[in-house]
Short mmCIF file of all heavy atoms in Angstrom, two decimals:
data_model
loop_
_atom_site.label_atom_id
_atom_site.label_comp_id
_atom_site.label_asym_id
_atom_site.label_seq_id
_atom_site.Cartn_x
_atom_site.Cartn_y
_atom_site.Cartn_z
N ILE A 395 120.67 -136.94 27.76
CA ILE A 395 121.92 -136.48 27.08
C ILE A 395 122.40 -137.66 26.24
O ILE A 395 122.78 -137.48 25.05
CB ILE A 395 123.01 -136.08 28.11
CG1 ILE A 395 122.48 -134.97 29.10
CG2 ILE A 395 124.31 -135.64 27.43
CD1 ILE A 395 122.15 -133.67 28.50
N ASP A 396 122.47 -138.80 26.80
CA ASP A 396 122.80 -140.04 26.03
C ASP A 396 122.17 -141.20 26.76
O ASP A 396 121.45 -140.93 27.79
CB ASP A 396 124.30 -140.23 25.86
CG ASP A 396 125.00 -140.36 27.16
OD1 ASP A 396 124.55 -141.12 28.05
OD2 ASP A 396 126.00 -139.66 27.40
N LYS A 397 122.37 -142.42 26.28
CA LYS A 397 121.53 -143.54 26.85
C LYS A 397 121.89 -143.81 28.36
O LYS A 397 121.13 -144.53 28.99
CB LYS A 397 121.67 -144.76 25.99
CG LYS A 397 122.96 -145.51 26.08
CD LYS A 397 122.95 -146.55 24.95
CE LYS A 397 123.48 -147.90 25.17
NZ LYS A 397 124.02 -148.31 26.44
N ASN A 398 122.98 -143.25 28.86
CA ASN A 398 123.27 -143.45 30.28
C ASN A 398 123.31 -142.14 31.06
O ASN A 398 123.78 -142.12 32.19
CB ASN A 398 124.64 -144.15 30.41
CG ASN A 398 124.58 -145.54 29.76
OD1 ASN A 398 125.21 -145.79 28.80
ND2 ASN A 398 123.80 -146.40 30.33
N THR A 399 122.83 -141.04 30.48
CA THR A 399 122.91 -139.79 31.22
C THR A 399 121.62 -138.96 31.07
O THR A 399 121.19 -138.77 29.98
CB THR A 399 124.12 -138.85 30.70
OG1 THR A 399 125.23 -139.72 30.44
CG2 THR A 399 124.46 -137.76 31.63
N VAL A 400 121.15 -138.57 32.25
CA VAL A 400 120.00 -137.65 32.23
C VAL A 400 120.40 -136.39 33.00
O VAL A 400 120.93 -136.48 34.11
CB VAL A 400 118.73 -138.28 32.92
CG1 VAL A 400 117.59 -137.28 33.09
CG2 VAL A 400 118.24 -139.52 32.15
N SER A 401 120.15 -135.27 32.38
CA SER A 401 120.44 -134.02 33.02
C SER A 401 119.12 -133.47 33.60
O SER A 401 118.10 -133.50 32.98
CB SER A 401 120.99 -133.05 31.91
OG SER A 401 121.20 -131.83 32.44
N VAL A 402 119.20 -133.02 34.83
CA VAL A 402 118.01 -132.48 35.49
C VAL A 402 118.18 -130.94 35.66
O VAL A 402 119.16 -130.53 36.32
CB VAL A 402 117.69 -133.15 36.78
CG1 VAL A 402 116.47 -132.50 37.46
CG2 VAL A 402 117.41 -134.62 36.58
N VAL A 403 117.38 -130.18 34.95
CA VAL A 403 117.42 -128.72 35.03
C VAL A 403 116.42 -128.17 35.89
O VAL A 403 115.20 -128.33 35.69
CB VAL A 403 117.31 -128.14 33.61
CG1 VAL A 403 117.53 -126.61 33.66
CG2 VAL A 403 118.18 -128.81 32.62
N GLU A 404 116.86 -127.54 37.01
CA GLU A 404 115.92 -126.95 37.96
C GLU A 404 115.77 -125.50 37.67
O GLU A 404 116.83 -124.75 37.68
CB GLU A 404 116.43 -127.17 39.40
CG GLU A 404 115.25 -127.12 40.40
CD GLU A 404 115.73 -127.34 41.82
OE1 GLU A 404 116.75 -128.06 41.96
OE2 GLU A 404 115.17 -126.77 42.70
N ASN A 405 114.63 -125.03 37.32
CA ASN A 405 114.49 -123.61 36.84
C ASN A 405 113.74 -122.79 37.88
O ASN A 405 112.56 -122.60 37.82
CB ASN A 405 113.71 -123.68 35.59
CG ASN A 405 113.90 -122.46 34.73
OD1 ASN A 405 114.60 -121.50 35.19
ND2 ASN A 405 113.46 -122.45 33.50
N SER A 406 114.48 -122.30 38.93
CA SER A 406 113.81 -121.48 39.87
C SER A 406 113.91 -120.01 39.40
O SER A 406 114.58 -119.66 38.42
CB SER A 406 114.42 -121.63 41.27
OG SER A 406 115.75 -121.10 41.23
N SER A 407 113.23 -119.08 40.09
CA SER A 407 113.13 -117.69 39.58
C SER A 407 114.50 -117.08 39.44
O SER A 407 114.76 -116.24 38.50
CB SER A 407 112.25 -116.89 40.47
OG SER A 407 112.67 -117.04 41.84
N ASP A 408 115.43 -117.40 40.34
CA ASP A 408 116.73 -116.69 40.29
C ASP A 408 117.95 -117.52 39.84
O ASP A 408 118.99 -116.99 39.72
CB ASP A 408 117.06 -115.97 41.66
CG ASP A 408 116.81 -116.97 42.79
OD1 ASP A 408 116.83 -118.16 42.56
OD2 ASP A 408 116.55 -116.48 43.87
N SER A 409 117.68 -118.81 39.63
CA SER A 409 118.88 -119.58 39.17
C SER A 409 118.44 -120.74 38.28
O SER A 409 117.30 -121.14 38.22
CB SER A 409 119.60 -120.16 40.40
OG SER A 409 118.75 -121.08 40.99
N LEU A 410 119.40 -121.19 37.58
CA LEU A 410 119.18 -122.36 36.68
C LEU A 410 120.24 -123.46 37.08
O LEU A 410 121.42 -123.32 36.74
CB LEU A 410 119.35 -121.89 35.27
CG LEU A 410 118.72 -122.85 34.22
CD1 LEU A 410 117.75 -122.05 33.36
CD2 LEU A 410 119.78 -123.39 33.32
N LYS A 411 119.70 -124.40 37.83
CA LYS A 411 120.67 -125.42 38.34
C LYS A 411 120.59 -126.64 37.40
O LYS A 411 119.52 -127.04 37.03
CB LYS A 411 120.23 -125.83 39.77
CG LYS A 411 121.34 -125.70 40.78
CD LYS A 411 120.81 -125.95 42.16
CE LYS A 411 120.48 -127.34 42.49
NZ LYS A 411 119.74 -127.49 43.73
N LYS A 412 121.77 -127.14 37.09
CA LYS A 412 121.78 -128.35 36.18
C LYS A 412 122.69 -129.36 36.73
O LYS A 412 123.87 -129.09 37.04
CB LYS A 412 122.31 -127.83 34.80
CG LYS A 412 122.08 -128.84 33.71
CD LYS A 412 122.37 -128.21 32.37
CE LYS A 412 123.10 -129.21 31.51
NZ LYS A 412 123.67 -128.64 30.35
N VAL A 413 122.17 -130.59 36.92
CA VAL A 413 122.96 -131.70 37.48
C VAL A 413 122.80 -132.89 36.52
O VAL A 413 121.69 -133.24 36.08
CB VAL A 413 122.50 -132.08 38.86
CG1 VAL A 413 123.38 -133.21 39.45
CG2 VAL A 413 122.47 -130.86 39.78
N ASN A 414 123.95 -133.57 36.24
CA ASN A 414 123.88 -134.76 35.39
C ASN A 414 123.86 -136.02 36.27
O ASN A 414 124.59 -136.13 37.27
CB ASN A 414 125.11 -134.85 34.52
CG ASN A 414 124.95 -133.91 33.28
OD1 ASN A 414 123.86 -133.28 33.18
ND2 ASN A 414 125.96 -133.81 32.50
N TYR A 415 122.96 -136.99 35.91
CA TYR A 415 122.87 -138.24 36.63
C TYR A 415 123.19 -139.41 35.67
O TYR A 415 122.78 -139.30 34.51
CB TYR A 415 121.47 -138.42 37.22
CG TYR A 415 121.16 -137.34 38.27
CD1 TYR A 415 120.52 -136.16 37.89
CD2 TYR A 415 121.46 -137.54 39.60
CE1 TYR A 415 120.28 -135.18 38.83
CE2 TYR A 415 121.16 -136.55 40.57
CZ TYR A 415 120.57 -135.38 40.14
OH TYR A 415 120.30 -134.42 41.08
N LYS A 416 123.82 -140.39 36.24
CA LYS A 416 124.14 -141.60 35.40
C LYS A 416 123.15 -142.68 35.70
O LYS A 416 122.67 -142.80 36.81
CB LYS A 416 125.57 -142.07 35.73
CG LYS A 416 126.69 -141.18 35.22
CD LYS A 416 126.87 -141.44 33.75
CE LYS A 416 127.71 -140.38 33.05
NZ LYS A 416 127.51 -140.30 31.62
N THR A 417 122.83 -143.47 34.66
CA THR A 417 121.84 -144.53 34.86
C THR A 417 122.08 -145.65 33.87
O THR A 417 122.59 -145.44 32.79
CB THR A 417 120.38 -143.93 34.68
OG1 THR A 417 119.46 -144.94 34.93
CG2 THR A 417 120.13 -143.33 33.36
N LYS A 418 121.60 -146.84 34.27
CA LYS A 418 121.71 -147.97 33.31
C LYS A 418 120.54 -148.03 32.32
O LYS A 418 120.64 -148.45 31.22
CB LYS A 418 121.74 -149.29 34.12
CG LYS A 418 123.05 -149.48 34.92
CD LYS A 418 123.02 -150.79 35.61
CE LYS A 418 124.16 -150.86 36.65
NZ LYS A 418 123.72 -151.44 37.94
N ASN A 419 119.37 -147.56 32.81
CA ASN A 419 118.16 -147.55 31.98
C ASN A 419 117.40 -146.22 32.17
O ASN A 419 117.45 -145.63 33.25
CB ASN A 419 117.20 -148.70 32.44
CG ASN A 419 117.83 -150.02 32.37
OD1 ASN A 419 117.96 -150.62 31.34
ND2 ASN A 419 118.28 -150.53 33.52
N ILE A 420 116.67 -145.89 31.15
CA ILE A 420 115.81 -144.67 31.17
C ILE A 420 114.37 -145.10 30.76
O ILE A 420 114.23 -145.83 29.80
CB ILE A 420 116.31 -143.55 30.28
CG1 ILE A 420 117.71 -143.16 30.73
CG2 ILE A 420 115.33 -142.38 30.22
CD1 ILE A 420 118.41 -142.20 29.72
N ILE A 421 113.37 -144.59 31.50
CA ILE A 421 112.00 -144.80 31.04
C ILE A 421 111.43 -143.42 30.74
O ILE A 421 111.42 -142.52 31.60
CB ILE A 421 111.13 -145.49 32.08
CG1 ILE A 421 111.68 -146.92 32.36
CG2 ILE A 421 109.64 -145.64 31.58
CD1 ILE A 421 110.97 -147.63 33.51
N ILE A 422 110.93 -143.22 29.51
CA ILE A 422 110.29 -141.90 29.18
C ILE A 422 108.78 -142.10 29.43
O ILE A 422 108.12 -142.94 28.80
CB ILE A 422 110.52 -141.58 27.70
CG1 ILE A 422 112.01 -141.53 27.39
CG2 ILE A 422 109.86 -140.26 27.32
CD1 ILE A 422 112.34 -141.53 25.87
N SER A 423 108.27 -141.29 30.32
CA SER A 423 106.81 -141.38 30.57
C SER A 423 106.34 -139.95 30.83
O SER A 423 105.87 -139.57 31.87
CB SER A 423 106.48 -142.22 31.82
OG SER A 423 107.31 -141.87 32.93
N THR A 424 106.50 -139.11 29.70
CA THR A 424 106.31 -137.68 29.83
C THR A 424 104.88 -137.26 29.49
O THR A 424 104.58 -136.07 29.45
CB THR A 424 107.33 -136.94 28.95
OG1 THR A 424 107.43 -137.62 27.70
CG2 THR A 424 108.70 -136.94 29.61
N GLY A 425 104.02 -138.22 29.15
CA GLY A 425 102.60 -137.92 28.95
C GLY A 425 102.27 -137.07 27.76
O GLY A 425 102.98 -137.13 26.75
N SER A 426 101.19 -136.32 27.89
CA SER A 426 100.67 -135.57 26.73
C SER A 426 100.11 -134.25 27.12
O SER A 426 99.96 -133.91 28.32
CB SER A 426 99.56 -136.41 26.09
OG SER A 426 98.45 -136.60 27.03
N LYS A 427 99.88 -133.40 26.14
CA LYS A 427 99.25 -132.10 26.40
C LYS A 427 98.10 -131.91 25.42
O LYS A 427 98.01 -132.51 24.36
CB LYS A 427 100.29 -130.99 26.29
CG LYS A 427 101.01 -130.98 24.96
CD LYS A 427 102.08 -129.91 24.93
CE LYS A 427 102.93 -130.02 23.71
NZ LYS A 427 104.28 -130.00 23.90
N PRO A 428 97.20 -130.92 25.77
CA PRO A 428 96.04 -130.72 24.84
C PRO A 428 96.46 -130.22 23.49
O PRO A 428 97.41 -129.42 23.40
CB PRO A 428 95.22 -129.64 25.58
CG PRO A 428 95.73 -129.57 26.93
CD PRO A 428 97.15 -130.06 26.93
N THR A 429 95.73 -130.64 22.45
CA THR A 429 95.99 -130.06 21.09
C THR A 429 94.94 -128.95 20.90
O THR A 429 93.94 -128.87 21.67
CB THR A 429 95.78 -131.07 19.95
OG1 THR A 429 94.59 -131.75 20.23
CG2 THR A 429 96.91 -131.99 19.79
N SER A 430 95.22 -128.09 19.96
CA SER A 430 94.21 -127.07 19.66
C SER A 430 93.91 -127.14 18.17
O SER A 430 94.37 -128.08 17.48
CB SER A 430 94.67 -125.68 20.05
OG SER A 430 93.55 -124.79 19.89
N LEU A 431 93.21 -126.23 17.67
CA LEU A 431 92.89 -126.17 16.23
C LEU A 431 93.80 -125.06 15.64
O LEU A 431 94.18 -124.13 16.36
CB LEU A 431 91.43 -125.87 15.98
CG LEU A 431 90.48 -126.95 16.50
CD1 LEU A 431 89.07 -126.51 16.45
CD2 LEU A 431 90.69 -128.22 15.74
N PRO A 432 94.10 -125.15 14.35
CA PRO A 432 95.07 -124.21 13.77
C PRO A 432 94.79 -122.68 14.03
O PRO A 432 95.67 -121.93 14.22
CB PRO A 432 95.04 -124.54 12.26
CG PRO A 432 94.16 -125.74 12.07
CD PRO A 432 93.58 -126.10 13.43
N ASN A 433 93.50 -122.38 14.00
CA ASN A 433 93.16 -120.96 14.09
C ASN A 433 92.64 -120.56 15.55
O ASN A 433 92.03 -119.51 15.65
CB ASN A 433 92.12 -120.58 13.02
CG ASN A 433 91.10 -121.67 12.83
OD1 ASN A 433 91.17 -122.69 13.54
ND2 ASN A 433 90.21 -121.57 11.84
N ILE A 434 92.94 -121.36 16.52
CA ILE A 434 92.47 -121.07 17.83
C ILE A 434 93.61 -121.14 18.83
O ILE A 434 94.34 -122.13 18.86
CB ILE A 434 91.36 -122.06 18.28
CG1 ILE A 434 90.12 -121.95 17.39
CG2 ILE A 434 90.94 -121.90 19.74
CD1 ILE A 434 88.99 -122.82 17.67
N LYS A 435 93.76 -120.07 19.58
CA LYS A 435 94.84 -120.02 20.53
C LYS A 435 94.29 -120.12 21.96
O LYS A 435 93.48 -119.33 22.35
CB LYS A 435 95.63 -118.69 20.36
CG LYS A 435 96.99 -118.77 21.05
CD LYS A 435 97.83 -117.52 20.69
CE LYS A 435 99.07 -117.39 21.50
NZ LYS A 435 99.04 -117.82 22.90
N ILE A 436 94.76 -121.17 22.65
CA ILE A 436 94.27 -121.35 24.04
C ILE A 436 94.95 -120.38 24.97
O ILE A 436 96.19 -120.32 25.02
CB ILE A 436 94.51 -122.80 24.45
CG1 ILE A 436 93.67 -123.78 23.69
CG2 ILE A 436 94.29 -123.05 25.99
CD1 ILE A 436 93.89 -125.25 23.83
N ASP A 437 94.18 -119.57 25.71
CA ASP A 437 94.82 -118.61 26.63
C ASP A 437 94.53 -119.01 28.13
O ASP A 437 95.03 -118.35 29.03
CB ASP A 437 94.37 -117.17 26.37
CG ASP A 437 92.79 -117.05 26.50
OD1 ASP A 437 92.20 -117.87 27.17
OD2 ASP A 437 92.24 -116.14 25.87
N GLU A 438 93.77 -120.09 28.36
CA GLU A 438 93.40 -120.59 29.66
C GLU A 438 92.58 -119.57 30.46
O GLU A 438 92.47 -119.68 31.67
CB GLU A 438 94.59 -121.12 30.48
CG GLU A 438 95.33 -122.31 29.91
CD GLU A 438 94.47 -123.59 29.72
OE1 GLU A 438 93.27 -123.53 29.96
OE2 GLU A 438 95.06 -124.60 29.30
N GLU A 439 92.10 -118.57 29.77
CA GLU A 439 91.24 -117.54 30.45
C GLU A 439 89.86 -117.65 29.78
O GLU A 439 88.87 -118.10 30.42
CB GLU A 439 91.73 -116.14 30.28
CG GLU A 439 93.03 -115.89 31.02
CD GLU A 439 92.86 -115.12 32.31
OE1 GLU A 439 91.83 -114.38 32.33
OE2 GLU A 439 93.68 -115.26 33.22
N THR A 440 89.79 -117.22 28.52
CA THR A 440 88.52 -117.26 27.79
C THR A 440 88.44 -118.53 26.94
O THR A 440 87.40 -119.22 26.92
CB THR A 440 88.40 -116.04 26.91
OG1 THR A 440 88.69 -114.88 27.65
CG2 THR A 440 86.99 -115.89 26.29
N ILE A 441 89.56 -118.78 26.25
CA ILE A 441 89.60 -120.02 25.46
C ILE A 441 90.54 -121.01 26.19
O ILE A 441 91.72 -120.78 26.32
CB ILE A 441 90.10 -119.70 24.01
CG1 ILE A 441 89.18 -118.69 23.38
CG2 ILE A 441 90.21 -120.97 23.20
CD1 ILE A 441 89.59 -118.13 22.08
N VAL A 442 89.89 -122.03 26.71
CA VAL A 442 90.63 -122.87 27.69
C VAL A 442 90.76 -124.32 27.18
O VAL A 442 89.95 -124.78 26.30
CB VAL A 442 89.93 -122.89 29.05
CG1 VAL A 442 89.83 -121.48 29.62
CG2 VAL A 442 88.55 -123.47 29.01
N SER A 443 91.73 -125.00 27.77
CA SER A 443 91.80 -126.44 27.61
C SER A 443 91.11 -127.03 28.87
O SER A 443 90.56 -126.28 29.71
CB SER A 443 93.26 -126.91 27.61
OG SER A 443 93.81 -126.76 28.89
N SER A 444 91.18 -128.36 29.05
CA SER A 444 90.60 -128.93 30.24
C SER A 444 91.18 -128.29 31.53
O SER A 444 90.48 -128.10 32.51
CB SER A 444 90.77 -130.42 30.25
OG SER A 444 92.15 -130.75 30.00
N THR A 445 92.46 -127.92 31.51
CA THR A 445 93.08 -127.28 32.71
C THR A 445 92.29 -126.02 33.13
O THR A 445 91.95 -125.91 34.29
CB THR A 445 94.54 -126.90 32.38
OG1 THR A 445 95.16 -128.10 31.95
CG2 THR A 445 95.27 -126.33 33.61
N GLY A 446 92.00 -125.18 32.20
CA GLY A 446 91.27 -123.90 32.49
C GLY A 446 89.79 -124.25 32.97
O GLY A 446 89.29 -123.60 33.83
N ALA A 447 89.25 -125.21 32.27
CA ALA A 447 87.80 -125.51 32.55
C ALA A 447 87.62 -126.22 33.87
O ALA A 447 86.52 -126.44 34.33
CB ALA A 447 87.24 -126.36 31.46
N LEU A 448 88.71 -126.60 34.58
CA LEU A 448 88.60 -127.17 35.92
C LEU A 448 88.65 -126.10 36.95
O LEU A 448 88.54 -126.41 38.17
CB LEU A 448 89.73 -128.20 36.11
CG LEU A 448 89.69 -129.47 35.34
CD1 LEU A 448 91.04 -130.21 35.41
CD2 LEU A 448 88.57 -130.37 35.91
N SER A 449 88.84 -124.88 36.54
CA SER A 449 88.96 -123.83 37.55
C SER A 449 88.33 -122.50 37.16
O SER A 449 88.74 -121.45 37.61
CB SER A 449 90.49 -123.53 37.76
OG SER A 449 91.08 -124.66 38.32
#
Side-chain angles (χ1 to χ4, degrees):
I395 306 295
D396 60 48
K397 74 192 222 356
N398 298 112
T399 318
V400 173
S401 177
V402 176
V403 184
E404 204 181 328
N405 203 352
S406 69
S407 52
D408 47 21
S409 68
L410 198 123
K411 233 171 74 192
K412 191 171 142 194
V413 183
N414 283 356
Y415 296 90
K416 287 283 169 200
T417 182
K418 291 182 192 136
N419 303 279
I420 297 169
I421 300 174
I422 304 164
S423 50
T424 45
S426 60
K427 56 181 169 229
T429 43
S430 187
L431 296 170
N433 37 6
I434 296 181
K435 198 171 167 329
I436 292 173
D437 57 25
E438 296 300 3
E439 292 258 335
T440 310
I441 300 173
V442 301
S443 72
S444 48
T445 305
L448 289 167
S449 295

